[in-house]
Amino acid sequence: MSSHNLKYDFNAIEKKWQQRWQDDKIFQVEVDRKQPKFYLLEMFPYPSGRIHMGHVRNYSIGDVIARHKRMKGFNVMHPIGWDAFGLPAENAAIKNNSHPARWTYENIDYMKSQLRKMGFSYDWKREMATCDPEYYRWEQLFFVQLYKKGLVYQKVTTVNWCESCGTVLANEQVIDGCCWRCDQQIIPREMNGWFFKITDYAEELLNQCDSLVGWPDKVLTMQRNWIGKSVGAEVDFPIKGGDETLKIFTTRPDTIFGATFMSIAPEHPQVLKLAGVSGREKEVSEFVERTRLARQQQNSEDEPEKEGVFTGGYAINPYTGDELPIYAANFVLMEYGTGAVMAVPAHDQRDFEFARKYNIPVKVVIQPKGEELDSAGMTEAHEGPGILVNSADFNGMNSQEAKKAITEHGNAGGFAQSRTTYRLRDWGISRQRYWGAPIPMIHCPECGVQPVNEEDLPVRLPTDVSFAESGKSPLCDLESFYKTTCPKCGGEAHRETDTMDTFVESSWYYARYCCPGDTREALQKEAVDYWLPVDQYIGGVEHAILHLLYARFFAKILRDLGYLTIDEPFTNLLTQGMVIKDGTKMSKSKGNVVDPDDLVRQYGADTVRLFSLFAAPPERDLEWSDKGVEGAHRFLNRIYRFVMENREILLETRGKAAGSLAGADRDLHRKTHQSIRKVSRDFESLHFNTAISAIMELMNSLSAAAGESSKTNIASTVMKEAVEAIIQLLSPMAPHFCEELWEIIGHKSQLSRSQWPVFDQEAAREDEITLVVQVNGKLRSRMTVALGENEETLKKMALADQNVGKFIADKDIRKIIVVKNKLINIVV
């Protein structure tokens, strides 16, 4: 056989099979109730211009799962699309004096060609881009329907403004005081904006975290913390010298008799009022401004030094009549609770530190069991439960019953009530930029705000626009867009010029994939009922709060609008690790990016896929290694050479490996079935790295067996069985390569259409023997072990044996003697 035929020409092989899959439409699927479905989805990409190794890893993981499930008999939907709206397109348009749509679609074309070269098994007919009016028209319809249900509203609020991006950010998009996209400091600004009432679903979003058993615990913990449920009491503290009250929320009403001061957020509306009355306006306003600037610069994980300023005002504790000084404090946040807190230094560490710093009294009202706290000698707060003291009629109660009794007492007096609060705030979706879905609302001077009529949707984003350097949206100045008529009275009106947060598009795209070409309805009932929920979702952990919380919210609102029947969109979630090079995440700014195109040219897509799957388990960070890529390439070459060298035997061989096999035949037959069992189990647990290791082991056994017998004595049926197993087991990872070898060894139908191999339990069983276990020469136990098991494993098994344990406990083991296939003697 010529050396030419032994060469693995990955370039020709990959082009051939990509074209054949495309021509045969092998990955296109339809609803088929006779087949079990499997919906596999990776978070869709933003069309930034090029795919990077993070994409390659994410999509390779997904593709392996999709191909494996297809071979297991599932009707697999594996779609792809483009999260196409967003600031980078607009910023690029300003920089290059072009249009965001042009930049976006050029990038989509290039990235699509990159993805095709990787051989991912996408159903390309389901491809969609969220900037297409045929996509966002349905989003606008949902908006109008939600508005009519009272789940969308407009209000003036203090928003997070990014000067660099020229737009508002949701709370979730502010990371450590900075914009999540450009990393610039955000500033607070008063603006009118549109909001989704996600808080109406807070309890359901929280409770159903418990049903998401296929999600990583860390993601669920982040979601629970973000929703932030607190159960307690809301209490009104009258402000001395006026008619107003300071409303506080506390989870510890049992400590209310120990309150010695009040702390309120620097931006609380009462702060400057109180300071004005008391003549402390200058000192207080300087503190407020200082705190505002410090918060913008601080990292969310940093605990700032506790600071405050006395406002000059006092609040009356409605339970005791005590006058409590009111402090503006830098650790109280307006967006949590009511922005005002009763401070109980004896039983809250933060309050304790503040009180000690500003010489405020500390009053003990909870005594821990068996102890007696003295406020003067306390070095830290006692935050645990205990028995009430110094609490009037509630003395002697335990904390838990006192919480209820004290709240009921306040309720009867008209100044307190039970309350459940959430950290979660309504989702502000207004963005003052152009490249997004227009908000379908109209402002009429006569009728007020009106939704666009459903039959007039979509409100199309105009294309005849030019961009200012400042980044200001051109929609505000484009008369042809904003001048319109009121859908109610027909008079002159002004169209909303804000666009929707791009997270809205990615909150429901998984549902639209079920029926992307439908121009008559948003979501086809038959299709969404069959395909949803997504069985396996894959993406980065950085989306744990934002995208995943919003997607869960949208599943619930679309259910309540009658479009869906599911409660949760994603049954299983895999958060893959990052790709690391030189000890840090790959990024352009760090100059450590590896271009997938270069790798594909040098080694082929299958090698790149194989390396990205072998180098680390999916959920762990992958450390880049040039040697690792070369190793993956060598492994594929090794298999290719073996198949080509033995091609004639493999082509001529018919029938299965069966009958009474012996020696090398029996060992290889056993190893083949053990490998099928191991790889199948690893696939189910998504441990692709160990699955590849098992395939490598089988290849080693095959080479050794063939080599030992000089390719004459080993049964050809046993060899072919092992070769076919290697090809099939490896095919989800290296699909082009395996399709080619499958054809080379004589198969007429495509490997992608073949069934996943099934192991024979009997064939996989090791020959077993019974070993005697002695302690100091006396029989103490017997063990059933695999014939030829290695000595170290046998020693560990003997020491772990329960019967043996009784005779070696607390004794020094001097040595362990192993007589092969007969006995083990432990000498103590």
Side-chain angles (χ1 to χ4, degrees), residues 229-245:
K229 182 178 181 179
S230 297
V231 177
E234 207 170 64
V235 185
D236 291 327
F237 282 66
I239 294 173
K240 184 185 176 186
D243 299 329
E244 293 187 273
T245 60

Side-chain angles (χ1 to χ4, degrees), residues 410-426:
N411 195 26
F415 53 80
Q417 57 183 320
S418 296
R419 177 76 72 221
T420 299
T421 66
Y422 299 90
R423 179 187 180 207
L424 183 68
R425 292 288 172 265
D426 282 337

